[in-house]
Amino acid sequence: VSVSINPCCEIVEGDSVTLICSSDSNPPAEISWFKGGTTVGSGRIYSISKISSDHSGEYKCKSINGHGEK
């Protein structure tokens, strides 16, 4: 599982940000997004429009299929 951010480097308040979670699992995995311990989205792509300081924190994606989770 890997996460990429678009734009990649410098993000300023008001920007739109896209987080992309990639998983090469077989069978395909279901993806969930978390900020802290709270679920904030699902699917391979999580988008934040007009980012602000309210969005600060650590984001993680979880990949789950019949063989386990990561």
Side-chain angles (χ1 to χ4, degrees):
V1 176
S2 66
V3 177
S4 59
I5 302 169
N6 187 13
C8 73
C9 305
E10 193 170 316
I11 300 167
V12 296
E13 192 162 357
D15 282 353
S16 293
V17 177
T18 302
L19 305 178
I20 302 166
C21 184
S22 300
S23 172
D24 61 359
S25 62
N26 187 10
E30 292 185 20
I31 305 292
S32 298
W33 287 95
F34 298 86
K35 178 184 173 191
T38 304
T39 304
V40 293
S42 62
R44 199 171 76 75
I45 297 172
Y46 179 67
S47 295
I48 303 169
S49 59
K50 296 185 180 177
I51 200 162
S52 70
S53 59
D54 293 341
H55 297 106
S56 65
E58 183 177 42
Y59 290 80
K60 293 182 179 184
C61 70
K62 182 189 287 186
S63 170
I64 302 172
N65 70 9
H67 297 289
E69 64 182 59
K70 188 165 184 177

Short mmCIF file of all heavy atoms in Angstrom, two decimals:
data_model
loop_
_atom_site.label_atom_id
_atom_site.label_comp_id
_atom_site.label_asym_id
_atom_site.label_seq_id
_atom_site.Cartn_x
_atom_site.Cartn_y
_atom_site.Cartn_z
N VAL A 1 0.85 -1.18 0.00
CA VAL A 1 0.00 0.00 0.00
C VAL A 1 0.89 1.23 0.00
O VAL A 1 1.85 1.30 0.76
CB VAL A 1 -0.92 0.03 1.24
CG1 VAL A 1 -1.74 1.30 1.27
CG2 VAL A 1 -1.82 -1.17 1.25
N SER A 2 0.59 2.19 -0.84
CA SER A 2 1.33 3.45 -0.84
C SER A 2 0.37 4.60 -1.03
O SER A 2 -0.72 4.45 -1.59
CB SER A 2 2.39 3.45 -1.94
OG SER A 2 1.77 3.44 -3.22
N VAL A 3 0.77 5.78 -0.54
CA VAL A 3 -0.06 6.98 -0.64
C VAL A 3 0.72 8.05 -1.37
O VAL A 3 1.90 8.26 -1.10
CB VAL A 3 -0.45 7.50 0.77
CG1 VAL A 3 -1.23 8.79 0.66
CG2 VAL A 3 -1.25 6.47 1.52
N SER A 4 0.06 8.72 -2.31
CA SER A 4 0.67 9.86 -2.97
C SER A 4 -0.24 11.07 -2.80
O SER A 4 -1.44 10.94 -2.57
CB SER A 4 0.93 9.57 -4.45
OG SER A 4 -0.28 9.26 -5.11
N ILE A 5 0.37 12.25 -2.91
CA ILE A 5 -0.34 13.50 -2.70
C ILE A 5 -0.19 14.36 -3.94
O ILE A 5 0.90 14.48 -4.49
CB ILE A 5 0.23 14.25 -1.48
CG1 ILE A 5 0.14 13.38 -0.23
CG2 ILE A 5 -0.49 15.58 -1.27
CD1 ILE A 5 0.91 13.93 0.95
N ASN A 6 -1.29 14.96 -4.37
CA ASN A 6 -1.26 15.86 -5.52
C ASN A 6 -1.90 17.18 -5.11
O ASN A 6 -3.06 17.17 -4.71
CB ASN A 6 -2.01 15.22 -6.68
CG ASN A 6 -1.89 16.01 -7.95
OD1 ASN A 6 -1.06 16.91 -8.04
ND2 ASN A 6 -2.71 15.70 -8.91
N PRO A 7 -1.27 18.31 -5.13
CA PRO A 7 0.11 18.51 -5.58
C PRO A 7 1.10 17.91 -4.60
O PRO A 7 0.79 17.74 -3.44
CB PRO A 7 0.24 20.03 -5.66
CG PRO A 7 -0.76 20.54 -4.66
CD PRO A 7 -1.88 19.55 -4.67
N CYS A 8 2.31 17.64 -5.08
CA CYS A 8 3.26 16.82 -4.31
C CYS A 8 4.00 17.57 -3.22
O CYS A 8 4.44 16.96 -2.28
CB CYS A 8 4.26 16.17 -5.25
SG CYS A 8 5.47 17.32 -5.92
N CYS A 9 4.19 18.83 -3.34
CA CYS A 9 5.20 19.43 -2.48
C CYS A 9 4.66 20.55 -1.59
O CYS A 9 4.53 20.36 -0.40
CB CYS A 9 6.35 19.95 -3.33
SG CYS A 9 7.03 18.64 -4.38
N GLU A 10 4.35 21.66 -2.15
CA GLU A 10 3.94 22.80 -1.34
C GLU A 10 2.44 23.01 -1.46
O GLU A 10 1.90 23.18 -2.55
CB GLU A 10 4.68 24.06 -1.82
CG GLU A 10 4.55 25.21 -0.86
CD GLU A 10 5.48 26.35 -1.24
OE1 GLU A 10 6.64 26.09 -1.56
OE2 GLU A 10 5.01 27.49 -1.20
N ILE A 11 1.76 22.96 -0.33
CA ILE A 11 0.31 23.13 -0.28
C ILE A 11 0.01 24.36 0.55
O ILE A 11 0.54 24.51 1.65
CB ILE A 11 -0.38 21.89 0.32
CG1 ILE A 11 -0.07 20.65 -0.53
CG2 ILE A 11 -1.88 22.11 0.45
CD1 ILE A 11 -0.44 19.35 0.13
N VAL A 12 -0.83 25.25 0.03
CA VAL A 12 -1.19 26.45 0.77
C VAL A 12 -2.70 26.47 0.99
O VAL A 12 -3.46 25.82 0.28
CB VAL A 12 -0.74 27.74 0.04
CG1 VAL A 12 0.77 27.80 -0.06
CG2 VAL A 12 -1.36 27.85 -1.34
N GLU A 13 -3.12 27.21 2.00
CA GLU A 13 -4.54 27.30 2.33
C GLU A 13 -5.33 27.72 1.10
O GLU A 13 -4.94 28.61 0.36
CB GLU A 13 -4.74 28.30 3.47
CG GLU A 13 -6.12 28.23 4.06
CD GLU A 13 -6.20 28.89 5.43
OE1 GLU A 13 -5.17 29.36 5.95
OE2 GLU A 13 -7.32 28.92 5.97
N GLY A 14 -6.45 27.03 0.89
CA GLY A 14 -7.31 27.30 -0.25
C GLY A 14 -7.09 26.36 -1.42
O GLY A 14 -7.92 26.28 -2.32
N ASP A 15 -5.96 25.65 -1.43
CA ASP A 15 -5.68 24.68 -2.50
C ASP A 15 -6.62 23.49 -2.41
O ASP A 15 -7.17 23.19 -1.34
CB ASP A 15 -4.25 24.13 -2.39
CG ASP A 15 -3.19 25.08 -2.90
OD1 ASP A 15 -3.55 26.13 -3.47
OD2 ASP A 15 -2.00 24.78 -2.72
N SER A 16 -6.80 22.80 -3.51
CA SER A 16 -7.44 21.49 -3.53
C SER A 16 -6.35 20.45 -3.47
O SER A 16 -5.33 20.57 -4.14
CB SER A 16 -8.27 21.31 -4.80
OG SER A 16 -9.36 22.19 -4.80
N VAL A 17 -6.57 19.42 -2.65
CA VAL A 17 -5.56 18.37 -2.45
C VAL A 17 -6.21 17.01 -2.68
O VAL A 17 -7.33 16.77 -2.23
CB VAL A 17 -4.97 18.44 -1.03
CG1 VAL A 17 -3.99 17.31 -0.79
CG2 VAL A 17 -4.31 19.78 -0.78
N THR A 18 -5.50 16.15 -3.39
CA THR A 18 -5.97 14.79 -3.64
C THR A 18 -4.98 13.80 -3.06
O THR A 18 -3.79 13.86 -3.37
CB THR A 18 -6.14 14.55 -5.15
OG1 THR A 18 -7.04 15.51 -5.68
CG2 THR A 18 -6.66 13.16 -5.43
N LEU A 19 -5.48 12.89 -2.23
CA LEU A 19 -4.67 11.79 -1.69
C LEU A 19 -5.06 10.53 -2.46
O LEU A 19 -6.24 10.24 -2.62
CB LEU A 19 -4.94 11.60 -0.20
CG LEU A 19 -4.76 12.83 0.69
CD1 LEU A 19 -5.12 12.47 2.13
CD2 LEU A 19 -3.35 13.37 0.61
N ILE A 20 -4.06 9.79 -2.91
CA ILE A 20 -4.31 8.59 -3.69
C ILE A 20 -3.66 7.40 -2.99
O ILE A 20 -2.47 7.42 -2.69
CB ILE A 20 -3.73 8.72 -5.12
CG1 ILE A 20 -4.35 9.94 -5.82
CG2 ILE A 20 -3.98 7.45 -5.92
CD1 ILE A 20 -3.64 10.35 -7.08
N CYS A 21 -4.47 6.38 -2.73
CA CYS A 21 -3.98 5.16 -2.07
C CYS A 21 -3.87 4.07 -3.13
O CYS A 21 -4.85 3.76 -3.81
CB CYS A 21 -4.95 4.75 -0.98
SG CYS A 21 -4.42 3.33 -0.01
N SER A 22 -2.69 3.50 -3.28
CA SER A 22 -2.47 2.44 -4.25
C SER A 22 -2.22 1.12 -3.54
O SER A 22 -1.45 1.06 -2.60
CB SER A 22 -1.26 2.78 -5.12
OG SER A 22 -1.48 3.98 -5.82
N SER A 23 -2.89 0.07 -4.01
CA SER A 23 -2.71 -1.26 -3.46
C SER A 23 -2.70 -2.25 -4.61
O SER A 23 -3.55 -2.20 -5.50
CB SER A 23 -3.86 -1.58 -2.50
OG SER A 23 -3.80 -2.92 -2.09
N ASP A 24 -1.72 -3.14 -4.62
CA ASP A 24 -1.63 -4.14 -5.69
C ASP A 24 -2.14 -5.51 -5.24
O ASP A 24 -1.68 -6.54 -5.70
CB ASP A 24 -0.19 -4.23 -6.21
CG ASP A 24 0.79 -4.66 -5.14
OD1 ASP A 24 0.38 -4.86 -3.99
OD2 ASP A 24 1.99 -4.80 -5.46
N SER A 25 -3.11 -5.50 -4.34
CA SER A 25 -3.60 -6.75 -3.77
C SER A 25 -4.45 -7.54 -4.78
O SER A 25 -5.03 -6.99 -5.70
CB SER A 25 -4.43 -6.46 -2.52
OG SER A 25 -5.55 -5.67 -2.85
N ASN A 26 -4.51 -8.85 -4.54
CA ASN A 26 -5.33 -9.73 -5.34
C ASN A 26 -6.00 -10.73 -4.40
O ASN A 26 -5.29 -11.51 -3.77
CB ASN A 26 -4.47 -10.45 -6.39
CG ASN A 26 -5.30 -11.23 -7.37
OD1 ASN A 26 -6.52 -11.11 -7.40
ND2 ASN A 26 -4.64 -12.06 -8.16
N PRO A 27 -7.31 -10.71 -4.22
CA PRO A 27 -8.27 -9.88 -4.96
C PRO A 27 -8.17 -8.41 -4.57
O PRO A 27 -7.58 -8.08 -3.54
CB PRO A 27 -9.64 -10.46 -4.54
CG PRO A 27 -9.39 -11.06 -3.20
CD PRO A 27 -7.97 -11.55 -3.21
N PRO A 28 -8.74 -7.53 -5.40
CA PRO A 28 -8.67 -6.09 -5.12
C PRO A 28 -9.20 -5.77 -3.72
O PRO A 28 -10.12 -6.42 -3.22
CB PRO A 28 -9.57 -5.48 -6.20
CG PRO A 28 -9.57 -6.47 -7.30
CD PRO A 28 -9.46 -7.82 -6.64
N ALA A 29 -8.58 -4.78 -3.12
CA ALA A 29 -8.91 -4.42 -1.76
C ALA A 29 -9.93 -3.28 -1.70
O ALA A 29 -10.05 -2.51 -2.64
CB ALA A 29 -7.65 -3.99 -1.02
N GLU A 30 -10.63 -3.22 -0.59
CA GLU A 30 -11.47 -2.05 -0.28
C GLU A 30 -10.58 -1.08 0.49
O GLU A 30 -9.84 -1.46 1.39
CB GLU A 30 -12.67 -2.46 0.57
CG GLU A 30 -13.66 -3.32 -0.18
CD GLU A 30 -14.92 -3.61 0.64
OE1 GLU A 30 -15.19 -2.86 1.61
OE2 GLU A 30 -15.60 -4.57 0.31
N ILE A 31 -10.66 0.19 0.12
CA ILE A 31 -9.81 1.22 0.70
C ILE A 31 -10.65 2.13 1.60
O ILE A 31 -11.72 2.59 1.21
CB ILE A 31 -9.14 2.08 -0.39
CG1 ILE A 31 -8.38 1.21 -1.39
CG2 ILE A 31 -8.27 3.17 0.22
CD1 ILE A 31 -7.17 0.55 -0.85
N SER A 32 -10.14 2.41 2.79
CA SER A 32 -10.76 3.37 3.72
C SER A 32 -9.71 4.40 4.10
O SER A 32 -8.53 4.09 4.23
CB SER A 32 -11.27 2.67 4.98
OG SER A 32 -12.25 1.73 4.67
N TRP A 33 -10.16 5.65 4.31
CA TRP A 33 -9.28 6.75 4.72
C TRP A 33 -9.59 7.15 6.15
O TRP A 33 -10.76 7.23 6.55
CB TRP A 33 -9.47 7.95 3.81
CG TRP A 33 -8.89 7.76 2.46
CD1 TRP A 33 -9.53 7.32 1.33
CD2 TRP A 33 -7.53 7.97 2.08
NE1 TRP A 33 -8.65 7.24 0.28
CE2 TRP A 33 -7.42 7.65 0.72
CE3 TRP A 33 -6.40 8.41 2.77
CZ2 TRP A 33 -6.22 7.74 0.03
CZ3 TRP A 33 -5.21 8.51 2.08
CH2 TRP A 33 -5.13 8.18 0.72
N PHE A 34 -8.52 7.44 6.91
CA PHE A 34 -8.65 7.84 8.31
C PHE A 34 -7.84 9.11 8.56
O PHE A 34 -6.76 9.28 8.01
CB PHE A 34 -8.14 6.73 9.23
CG PHE A 34 -8.91 5.45 9.11
CD1 PHE A 34 -8.59 4.51 8.15
CD2 PHE A 34 -9.98 5.20 9.96
CE1 PHE A 34 -9.30 3.33 8.03
CE2 PHE A 34 -10.70 4.03 9.85
CZ PHE A 34 -10.36 3.09 8.88
N LYS A 35 -8.39 9.95 9.41
CA LYS A 35 -7.64 11.08 9.96
C LYS A 35 -7.66 10.87 11.46
O LYS A 35 -8.72 10.90 12.08
CB LYS A 35 -8.29 12.41 9.60
CG LYS A 35 -7.56 13.60 10.19
CD LYS A 35 -8.30 14.89 9.88
CE LYS A 35 -7.65 16.04 10.64
NZ LYS A 35 -8.48 17.24 10.57
N GLY A 36 -6.47 10.63 12.03
CA GLY A 36 -6.45 10.18 13.42
C GLY A 36 -7.13 8.83 13.47
O GLY A 36 -6.87 7.96 12.66
N GLY A 37 -8.07 8.64 14.36
CA GLY A 37 -8.81 7.38 14.44
C GLY A 37 -10.18 7.44 13.80
O GLY A 37 -10.97 6.52 13.94
N THR A 38 -10.48 8.51 13.07
CA THR A 38 -11.81 8.72 12.51
C THR A 38 -11.83 8.43 11.01
O THR A 38 -10.96 8.90 10.27
CB THR A 38 -12.26 10.19 12.72
OG1 THR A 38 -12.20 10.48 14.11
CG2 THR A 38 -13.67 10.42 12.22
N THR A 39 -12.81 7.66 10.55
CA THR A 39 -12.98 7.41 9.12
C THR A 39 -13.45 8.68 8.44
O THR A 39 -14.43 9.30 8.88
CB THR A 39 -14.00 6.29 8.88
OG1 THR A 39 -13.60 5.12 9.59
CG2 THR A 39 -14.13 5.98 7.40
N VAL A 40 -12.75 9.07 7.38
CA VAL A 40 -13.11 10.30 6.66
C VAL A 40 -13.50 10.05 5.21
O VAL A 40 -13.98 10.95 4.53
CB VAL A 40 -11.98 11.35 6.73
CG1 VAL A 40 -11.79 11.85 8.16
CG2 VAL A 40 -10.68 10.82 6.16
N GLY A 41 -13.30 8.83 4.71
CA GLY A 41 -13.67 8.55 3.33
C GLY A 41 -13.39 7.12 2.95
O GLY A 41 -12.85 6.34 3.74
N SER A 42 -13.76 6.79 1.73
CA SER A 42 -13.50 5.44 1.20
C SER A 42 -13.18 5.57 -0.28
O SER A 42 -13.46 6.58 -0.91
CB SER A 42 -14.71 4.54 1.42
OG SER A 42 -15.83 5.04 0.72
N GLY A 43 -12.58 4.52 -0.80
CA GLY A 43 -12.18 4.53 -2.21
C GLY A 43 -10.72 4.91 -2.35
O GLY A 43 -10.08 5.39 -1.41
N ARG A 44 -10.19 4.68 -3.54
CA ARG A 44 -8.77 4.88 -3.80
C ARG A 44 -8.36 6.35 -3.70
O ARG A 44 -7.22 6.66 -3.37
CB ARG A 44 -8.47 4.36 -5.21
CG ARG A 44 -7.04 4.07 -5.47
CD ARG A 44 -6.85 3.36 -6.79
NE ARG A 44 -6.97 4.19 -7.97
CZ ARG A 44 -6.04 5.05 -8.38
NH1 ARG A 44 -4.96 5.23 -7.69
NH2 ARG A 44 -6.22 5.75 -9.48
N ILE A 45 -9.28 7.26 -3.97
CA ILE A 45 -8.96 8.70 -3.99
C ILE A 45 -9.76 9.43 -2.91
O ILE A 45 -10.97 9.22 -2.76
CB ILE A 45 -9.28 9.29 -5.37
CG1 ILE A 45 -8.39 8.64 -6.43
CG2 ILE A 45 -9.11 10.80 -5.38
CD1 ILE A 45 -8.74 9.01 -7.85
N TYR A 46 -9.05 10.27 -2.15
CA TYR A 46 -9.69 11.13 -1.15
C TYR A 46 -9.31 12.57 -1.48
O TYR A 46 -8.11 12.90 -1.55
CB TYR A 46 -9.23 10.76 0.26
CG TYR A 46 -9.82 11.63 1.34
CD1 TYR A 46 -11.19 11.60 1.61
CD2 TYR A 46 -9.03 12.51 2.06
CE1 TYR A 46 -11.74 12.41 2.58
CE2 TYR A 46 -9.57 13.32 3.04
CZ TYR A 46 -10.93 13.27 3.29
OH TYR A 46 -11.47 14.07 4.25
N SER A 47 -10.30 13.41 -1.72
CA SER A 47 -10.05 14.79 -2.12
C SER A 47 -10.50 15.76 -1.04
O SER A 47 -11.53 15.56 -0.40
CB SER A 47 -10.80 15.11 -3.42
OG SER A 47 -10.29 14.34 -4.47
N ILE A 48 -9.72 16.82 -0.88
CA ILE A 48 -10.06 17.92 0.02
C ILE A 48 -10.04 19.19 -0.82
O ILE A 48 -9.01 19.52 -1.41
CB ILE A 48 -9.04 18.05 1.17
CG1 ILE A 48 -8.94 16.75 1.97
CG2 ILE A 48 -9.42 19.22 2.07
CD1 ILE A 48 -7.79 16.71 2.94
N SER A 49 -11.17 19.86 -0.91
CA SER A 49 -11.19 21.12 -1.65
C SER A 49 -11.06 22.27 -0.65
O SER A 49 -11.54 22.18 0.48
CB SER A 49 -12.48 21.25 -2.46
OG SER A 49 -13.61 21.19 -1.62
N LYS A 50 -10.39 23.29 -1.06
CA LYS A 50 -10.17 24.48 -0.21
C LYS A 50 -9.60 24.08 1.15
O LYS A 50 -10.23 24.28 2.19
CB LYS A 50 -11.46 25.28 -0.06
CG LYS A 50 -11.94 25.86 -1.38
CD LYS A 50 -13.14 26.73 -1.18
CE LYS A 50 -13.60 27.29 -2.51
NZ LYS A 50 -14.81 28.10 -2.40
N ILE A 51 -8.43 23.51 1.13
CA ILE A 51 -7.81 23.03 2.36
C ILE A 51 -7.54 24.19 3.32
O ILE A 51 -7.25 25.30 2.90
CB ILE A 51 -6.51 22.24 2.04
CG1 ILE A 51 -6.15 21.34 3.19
CG2 ILE A 51 -5.38 23.18 1.64
CD1 ILE A 51 -5.19 20.25 2.83
N SER A 52 -7.70 23.90 4.60
CA SER A 52 -7.46 24.91 5.64
C SER A 52 -6.78 24.23 6.83
O SER A 52 -6.58 23.01 6.83
CB SER A 52 -8.77 25.55 6.09
OG SER A 52 -9.55 24.62 6.83
N SER A 53 -6.48 25.01 7.85
CA SER A 53 -5.82 24.44 9.03
C SER A 53 -6.71 23.41 9.72
O SER A 53 -6.21 22.54 10.44
CB SER A 53 -5.45 25.56 10.01
OG SER A 53 -6.59 26.27 10.41
N ASP A 54 -8.02 23.46 9.50
CA ASP A 54 -8.92 22.44 10.07
C ASP A 54 -8.61 21.04 9.53
O ASP A 54 -8.97 20.04 10.14
CB ASP A 54 -10.39 22.77 9.75
CG ASP A 54 -10.87 24.02 10.45
OD1 ASP A 54 -10.23 24.43 11.45
OD2 ASP A 54 -11.87 24.60 10.00
N HIS A 55 -7.98 20.98 8.38
CA HIS A 55 -7.67 19.70 7.75
C HIS A 55 -6.31 19.15 8.17
O HIS A 55 -5.93 18.06 7.74
CB HIS A 55 -7.69 19.84 6.22
CG HIS A 55 -9.02 20.21 5.68
ND1 HIS A 55 -9.30 21.47 5.20
CD2 HIS A 55 -10.16 19.50 5.57
CE1 HIS A 55 -10.55 21.51 4.79
NE2 HIS A 55 -11.10 20.32 5.01
N SER A 56 -5.59 19.87 9.01
CA SER A 56 -4.25 19.40 9.38
C SER A 56 -4.36 18.12 10.22
O SER A 56 -5.35 17.89 10.91
CB SER A 56 -3.49 20.48 10.15
OG SER A 56 -4.13 20.74 11.38
N GLY A 57 -3.35 17.29 10.10
CA GLY A 57 -3.31 16.04 10.84
C GLY A 57 -2.73 14.95 9.98
O GLY A 57 -2.33 15.17 8.84
N GLU A 58 -2.68 13.75 10.54
CA GLU A 58 -2.12 12.60 9.83
C GLU A 58 -3.25 11.81 9.17
O GLU A 58 -4.21 11.40 9.82
CB GLU A 58 -1.37 11.71 10.82
CG GLU A 58 -0.70 10.54 10.16
CD GLU A 58 0.09 9.70 11.14
OE1 GLU A 58 -0.40 9.44 12.25
OE2 GLU A 58 1.21 9.29 10.78
N TYR A 59 -3.12 11.62 7.87
CA TYR A 59 -4.08 10.84 7.10
C TYR A 59 -3.46 9.49 6.75
O TYR A 59 -2.30 9.41 6.40
CB TYR A 59 -4.46 11.57 5.81
CG TYR A 59 -5.29 12.80 6.05
CD1 TYR A 59 -4.71 14.00 6.44
CD2 TYR A 59 -6.68 12.77 5.88
CE1 TYR A 59 -5.47 15.13 6.67
CE2 TYR A 59 -7.45 13.89 6.11
CZ TYR A 59 -6.84 15.07 6.50
OH TYR A 59 -7.60 16.19 6.72
N LYS A 60 -4.28 8.43 6.86
CA LYS A 60 -3.83 7.09 6.52
C LYS A 60 -4.90 6.40 5.69
O LYS A 60 -6.10 6.67 5.86
CB LYS A 60 -3.59 6.25 7.78
CG LYS A 60 -2.44 6.74 8.63
CD LYS A 60 -2.24 5.82 9.82
CE LYS A 60 -1.07 6.27 10.66
NZ LYS A 60 -0.81 5.34 11.76
N CYS A 61 -4.46 5.51 4.82
CA CYS A 61 -5.44 4.66 4.13
C CYS A 61 -5.24 3.22 4.60
O CYS A 61 -4.14 2.81 4.96
CB CYS A 61 -5.31 4.77 2.61
SG CYS A 61 -3.84 4.05 1.88
N LYS A 62 -6.34 2.49 4.63
CA LYS A 62 -6.31 1.07 5.01
C LYS A 62 -6.85 0.26 3.85
O LYS A 62 -7.89 0.59 3.28
CB LYS A 62 -7.16 0.83 6.25
CG LYS A 62 -7.12 -0.63 6.73
CD LYS A 62 -8.13 -0.92 7.80
CE LYS A 62 -7.71 -0.32 9.12
NZ LYS A 62 -8.64 -0.73 10.21
N SER A 63 -6.12 -0.77 3.50
CA SER A 63 -6.47 -1.66 2.40
C SER A 63 -6.89 -2.99 3.01
O SER A 63 -6.14 -3.59 3.78
CB SER A 63 -5.24 -1.83 1.51
OG SER A 63 -5.43 -2.83 0.56
N ILE A 64 -8.11 -3.46 2.66
CA ILE A 64 -8.64 -4.71 3.23
C ILE A 64 -9.17 -5.62 2.12
O ILE A 64 -9.94 -5.16 1.26
CB ILE A 64 -9.79 -4.42 4.22
CG1 ILE A 64 -9.34 -3.50 5.34
CG2 ILE A 64 -10.34 -5.71 4.80
CD1 ILE A 64 -10.46 -3.01 6.23
N ASN A 65 -8.76 -6.88 2.15
CA ASN A 65 -9.38 -7.90 1.30
C ASN A 65 -9.49 -9.20 2.09
O ASN A 65 -9.25 -9.20 3.30
CB ASN A 65 -8.62 -8.07 -0.03
CG ASN A 65 -7.27 -8.71 0.12
OD1 ASN A 65 -6.90 -9.20 1.18
ND2 ASN A 65 -6.50 -8.72 -0.95
N GLY A 66 -9.84 -10.27 1.44
CA GLY A 66 -10.05 -11.54 2.12
C GLY A 66 -8.80 -12.13 2.77
O GLY A 66 -8.90 -13.04 3.58
N HIS A 67 -7.63 -11.61 2.41
CA HIS A 67 -6.37 -12.13 2.95
C HIS A 67 -5.84 -11.33 4.11
O HIS A 67 -4.85 -11.70 4.74
CB HIS A 67 -5.32 -12.20 1.86
CG HIS A 67 -5.68 -13.14 0.75
ND1 HIS A 67 -5.70 -14.51 0.89
CD2 HIS A 67 -6.08 -12.90 -0.53
CE1 HIS A 67 -6.07 -15.08 -0.24
NE2 HIS A 67 -6.31 -14.13 -1.12
N GLY A 68 -6.46 -10.17 4.38
CA GLY A 68 -5.99 -9.36 5.50
C GLY A 68 -6.10 -7.88 5.23
O GLY A 68 -6.83 -7.44 4.33
N GLU A 69 -5.38 -7.11 6.02
CA GLU A 69 -5.43 -5.65 5.88
C GLU A 69 -4.05 -5.07 6.09
O GLU A 69 -3.17 -5.67 6.71
CB GLU A 69 -6.40 -5.03 6.86
CG GLU A 69 -6.04 -5.21 8.31
CD GLU A 69 -7.07 -4.60 9.25
OE1 GLU A 69 -8.24 -5.01 9.18
OE2 GLU A 69 -6.69 -3.74 10.05
N LYS A 70 -3.86 -3.89 5.51
CA LYS A 70 -2.58 -3.20 5.68
C LYS A 70 -2.83 -1.70 5.69
O LYS A 70 -3.70 -1.22 4.99
CB LYS A 70 -1.62 -3.55 4.54
CG LYS A 70 -0.23 -3.03 4.74
CD LYS A 70 0.73 -3.69 3.81
CE LYS A 70 2.14 -3.19 4.12
NZ LYS A 70 3.15 -3.81 3.32
#
